[in-house]
Amino acid sequence: MTNNQKATTAVRACLLAACALLVAGPVPARAAALPQSPPGDWLYVTVTRGDARTGDVRSGDTRGALLLCDPPQGHAHAARACEELRAAHGDVGRIPLKETFCPMVYAPLTAAARGEWGGRTITYEETFANACALTARTGAVFALPEEPH
């Protein structure tokens, strides 16, 4: 694992903890112990511009969200994403491919998900040629809004 990957992993862990605190809301000081993970089915999903397989990832161009599914929240399309994940038993790779025609434009995006589903640890990472291919393959799970630059 490269130093960049280690740093990315550390940042993701901190973001997950921060998101969990935001979802939990204010807590009294004596009850401030953070649980190991959010209850129920959840995934921390990210989309990064570039190709993680070749190391061509643009620094600082990562979007992410904590997708909670009991009840659906924390993600712009949480209800639809959770529904698709339930049908695929939490396996992003088993979401049915949508029939669509995508342009043959190479603008790679790397999608990653880490979390728990049905008591199992979920890890997923794949690089797609463009946003259309990403959406066709993964549905609403990685449908994160573009952030202004």
Side-chain angles (χ1 to χ4, degrees), residues 45-118:
V45 297
T46 60
V47 176
T48 304
R49 291 193 190 280
D51 187 342
R53 297 171 300 184
T54 63
D56 177 32
V57 175
R58 292 168 184 93
S59 178
D61 204 1
T62 298
R63 298 172 281 143
L66 179 62
L67 172 62
L68 302 170
C69 289
D70 297 318
Q73 59 185 322
H75 181 293
H77 304 280
R80 194 173 64 187
C82 291
E83 181 181 305
E84 292 170 346
L85 284 164
R86 279 188 191 98
H89 305 287
D91 184 349
V92 178
R94 291 181 60 192
I95 293 173
L97 178 65
K98 286 21 166 214
E99 283 192 40
T100 188
F101 292 101
C102 291
M104 295 193 63
V105 174
Y106 188 67
L109 296 169
T110 299
R114 309 273 184 272
E116 291 183 12
W117 197 275

Side-chain angles (χ1 to χ4, degrees), residues 11-32:
V11 168
R12 286 180 181 163
C14 289
L15 285 172
L16 177 61
C19 289
L21 285 173
L22 288 173
V23 170
V27 293
R30 66 181 180 278

Side-chain angles (χ1 to χ4, degrees), residues 118-131:
R120 296 181 338 245
T121 299
I122 301 295
T123 303
Y124 174 86
E125 184 171 313
E126 190 168 344
T127 299
F128 297 88
N130 55 45

